[in-house]
Amino acid sequence: MVYMTLGSSIRKRRKSLNITLQSLAGTIQADAGNLSRIERGELGVSETMLRKIAEALDCSPAYLYMQSDDALSAQENSQAYLVNSSSNNKLPTNKRPHVLAKDFVHWFRSAAPYIHAFGGRTFVIAFGGEVVNDKQFVALSHDLNLLASLEVRLVLVHGARPQIEHRLRRAKLETKLVNGLRVTDDDAMEAVKEANGAIRVEIEALLSMGLVNSPMAGSDIRVASGNFVTAKPLGVREGIDLQHTGEVRRVDAIGIQKRLDDGELVMLSPLGYSPTGEAFNLSLEDVAVSAAIALDADKLIFLMDSEGVHNLRGELLREMTAEKAKNLLRNVQDNEQAIHISEDINYYLPAAVRACEHGVARTHLISRHIDGAIIQELFTHDGIGTMVTELTLESMRQADIEDVGGILKLIEPLENEGILVRRGRERIEMEINHFYVMEHDGRVIGCAALYPFATEKTAEFACLAIDPAYRGGGRGDKLFNYCQERAKQQGCKTLFCLTTRTEHWFLERGFVEQNVEKLPTEKQSLYNFQRKSKVFYKTL
């Protein structure tokens, strides 16, 4: 099977309709050269641009996404796994897709740490009304059922914008927008109530499924909803009374926690209620962030049209701190040509920043168009979208006894290749105070050791190892510089190392080759003349 990117999916649809590139560009008032680059995958496509393209090609953005690589590969893999695990599989042994089965086993095992970490944690998952409108909630319900079975405490926050707009058009009502906020008068409020009620019933119905031979088989999801959100009116903005449009005043965290303690899934609508008995139309982002803050949630997840946050060059950012996110938003305001920043990002990224600044550990921005996006984001190292955190995920510190297993996992492959001298678990446990580790989101991804020789005022730098999945990002240098600073603090004037394979790495960092006699006397007595390691020194 030949997989397609989103760009090639657009190209295939265009050609099937016999539409030229120039004609499409004229229809959507875009540059034909940029469209060509989008189709070749050289340029990202914003959510607004994608909607224009989809409309011109007489289809939906969801259709174009579903024809692209992510959707097709997920579908093919799931079919292969079903074939491989079916009791009625009659394929000859040499024809069965064992490679995919092995990949599945490897992935499942690698997900074990996340399964242990997520049990009993609270996740707030927010999505727009488009997820229900485009019939995507069925697939989402399968992922929610899986998370619930792992004892994750789930709070759903749904939007209703397309449903509200549909009812307003049907009633031939027009509403004004002030900075993206709808002016909700009495008639519009009736449409808001009707839309939220309908979408809530549909979601509850889909979460009640329990069909045999489906991902929902055996599920027992009880949904709790109610007046958990207290709101207040936004009042007059820019001289315009927003009427029934409001903002969150308080979230009943105690009431929600009781439902979660009872094993229920809590669903919040973008509606709030006041002590005077009024209802207010709220934004999805405000409700989601306020709920996550009030519940001290471990994760806040936004499902959106784009795949994540892109920088101004169009590169997907897998991780970013809240400070970096604020800088990006400032740059977008200053750059009118920020075509890679979708409308969704303008809504959700400021919400992610607010959540992180108020104590929510992780906020994830992922695509609603990729089947299983939540599972891929939560249970794989790299994820699939963008994760926003208050502080950087990587840190360095002195190792402790709990890190022995992680250190062994890093250095054993290098020992087997003869790059590092073999060390056993017992020796590492005895020397653990000499080791330093680099962590990424709580996982040890790098290590190095520093053995001081106080009399000679020098220290040996040894056992540098970086996880293969994290190489190429300058992490070896960061860990080396960290150890170098520790050596200075310990009063060392020089550093030395012994190596057989990586002499140029040390030469490039200011080390100079020396004779074995230059080593401290104690180290000379332990020198392995059969290994013939080269000696390098550096003045601090």
Side-chain angles (χ1 to χ4, degrees), residues 252-273:
D252 182 9
I254 295 176
I256 294 175
Q257 294 286 11
K258 287 181 178 178
R259 303 302 193 282
L260 295 176
D261 291 341
D262 289 337
E264 298 180 3
L265 179 153
V266 175
M267 182 164 59
L268 303 178
S269 298
L271 286 173
Y273 309 94

Side-chain angles (χ1 to χ4, degrees), residues 29-176:
Q29 298 181 335
D31 180 72
N34 285 340
L35 276 181
S36 178
R37 293 173 63 198
I38 288 173
E39 290 189 351
R40 296 197 305 270
E42 297 174 359
L43 184 67
V45 55
S46 68
E47 182 260 344
T48 303
M49 175 69 76
L50 182 60
R51 288 185 180 276
K52 290 181 180 179
I53 293 172
E55 184 177 352
L57 298 180
D58 194 25
C59 63
S60 67
Y63 173 85
L64 295 173
Y65 270 106
M66 289 304 294
Q67 303 305 309
S68 63
D69 182 16
D70 292 314
L72 289 174
S73 59
Q75 181 182 11
E76 183 184 66
N77 285 348
S78 64
Q79 290 173 348
Y81 292 138
L82 287 173
V83 170
N84 205 39
S85 60
S86 172
S87 59
N88 296 320
N89 187 358
K90 302 299 182 181
L91 288 174
T93 302
N94 62 345
K95 297 293 185 181
R96 296 177 186 174
H98 289 296
V99 175
L100 285 175
K102 290 179 181 178
D103 288 345
F104 171 75
V105 170
H106 173 74
W107 173 84
F108 203 52
R109 287 172 176 167
S110 67
Y114 301 103
I115 294 173
H116 287 300
F118 293 160
R121 301 299 180 92
T122 301
F123 294 178
V124 176
I125 301 176
F127 52 91
E130 295 85 358
V131 170
V132 177
N133 244 17
D134 295 345
K135 308 302 180 185
Q136 295 173 325
F137 190 81
V138 174
L140 177 59
S141 68
H142 298 165
D143 296 343
L144 297 176
N145 182 41
L146 176 58
L147 292 174
S149 69
L150 297 175
E151 299 183 351
V152 176
R153 297 154 63 93
L154 295 174
V155 177
L156 301 187
V157 183
H158 72 80
R161 185 175 291 120
Q163 289 84 355
I164 294 171
E165 291 176 349
H166 171 73
R167 283 163 174 79
L168 290 174
R169 287 195 301 269
R170 187 178 63 188
K172 297 181 180 180
L173 296 173
E174 293 185 4
T175 58
K176 296 180 180 178

Side-chain angles (χ1 to χ4, degrees), residues 189 205 220 250 304 332 361 377:
M189 193 62 201
D220 183 23
R250 184 177 63 85
M304 56 187 193
V332 169
E377 176 71 11

Side-chain angles (χ1 to χ4, degrees), residues 235-538:
V236 178
R237 299 290 175 94
E238 298 182 8
I240 298 176
D241 186 358
L242 295 176
Q243 301 185 47
H244 296 291
T245 299
E247 62 182 341
V248 176
R249 184 176 183 179
R250 184 177 63 85
V251 174
D252 182 9
I254 295 176
I256 294 175
Q257 294 286 11
K258 287 181 178 178
R259 303 302 193 282
L260 295 176
D261 291 341
D262 289 337
E264 298 180 3
L265 179 153
V266 175
M267 182 164 59
L268 303 178
S269 298
L271 286 173
Y273 309 94
S274 72
T276 60
E278 294 179 84
F280 291 97
N281 181 25
L282 309 176
S283 71
L284 162 70
E285 308 85 61
D286 188 17
V287 175
V289 172
S290 299
I293 294 171
L295 295 168
D296 193 22
D298 297 276
K299 289 184 181 294
L300 170 60
I301 301 169
F302 284 110
L303 295 173
M304 56 187 193
D305 281 315
S306 52
E307 61 180 334
V309 180
H310 294 82
N311 59 22
L312 297 182
R313 296 187 299 275
E315 301 164 339
L316 178 63
L317 302 172
R318 294 293 186 188
E319 299 167 2
M320 61 193 314
T321 62
E323 188 61 35
K324 185 175 180 180
K326 288 193 288 187
N327 289 337
L328 177 61
L329 290 169
R330 280 194 291 267
N331 291 335
V332 169
Q333 290 178 348
D334 298 336
N335 190 334
E336 296 180 357
Q337 302 299 319
I339 61 174
H340 303 294
I341 305 300
S342 69
E343 184 180 356
D344 272 0
I345 299 305
N346 288 325
Y347 284 122
Y348 295 136
L349 192 55
V353 170
R354 177 187 161 202
C356 288
E357 290 180 340
H358 286 81
V360 179
R362 306 279 187 270
T363 300
H364 301 260
L365 307 177
I366 59 179
S367 172
R368 68 181 175 94
H369 298 290
I370 299 175
D371 188 23
I374 288 181
I375 303 303
Q376 294 183 62
E377 176 71 11
L378 297 181
F379 293 94
T380 61
H381 293 316
D382 295 331
I384 197 171
T386 299
M387 178 165 63
V388 183
T389 62
E390 182 181 4
L391 302 173
T392 180
L393 291 178
E394 290 188 356
S395 61
M396 288 172 285
R397 59 173 175 79
Q398 187 168 18
D400 57 43
I401 199 67
E402 301 295 329
D403 299 314
V404 172
I407 293 172
L408 281 171
K409 186 176 179 180
L410 289 172
I411 67 175
E412 281 178 347
L414 300 177
E415 292 175 348
N416 294 335
E417 294 179 31
I419 297 174
L420 294 179
V421 175
R422 190 169 296 278
R423 293 169 169 83
R425 175 179 288 271
E426 185 177 351
R427 179 179 171 185
I428 293 179
E429 289 178 351
M430 293 174 60
E431 298 177 348
I432 194 65
N433 290 335
H434 296 303
F435 276 84
Y436 298 90
V437 295
M438 174 182 283
E439 284 186 320
H440 182 94
D441 200 15
R443 175 172 174 247
V444 174
I445 63 167
C447 70
L450 202 62
Y451 297 97
F453 293 82
T455 304
E456 292 85 352
K457 293 187 177 180
T458 188
E460 179 185 6
F461 178 71
C463 208
L464 175 64
I466 302 294
D467 188 310
Y470 293 88
R471 291 175 187 168
R475 292 179 174 84
D477 280 309
K478 291 178 183 177
L479 196 49
F480 168 68
N481 291 333
Y482 183 82
C483 291
Q484 193 171 230
E485 290 302 314
R486 301 288 80 73
K488 289 180 182 178
Q489 292 173 9
Q490 295 171 17
C492 296
K493 300 299 183 183
T494 58
L495 273 184
F496 72 88
C497 67
L498 283 75
T499 182
T500 58
R501 304 276 191 94
T502 56
E503 57 181 284
H504 279 270
W505 192 90
F506 289 101
L507 288 172
E508 291 166 6
R509 283 150 186 83
F511 283 79
V512 178
E513 187 173 359
Q514 300 286 355
N515 295 323
V516 176
E517 291 75 18
K518 175 76 172 179
L519 293 172
T521 304
E522 182 182 348
K523 188 65 182 179
Q524 285 187 45
S525 64
L526 299 173
Y527 182 81
N528 187 336
F529 284 93
Q530 291 183 332
R531 184 173 170 83
K532 294 184 179 179
S533 299
K534 292 186 177 181
V535 178
F536 292 88
Y537 262 80
K538 179 181 181 179

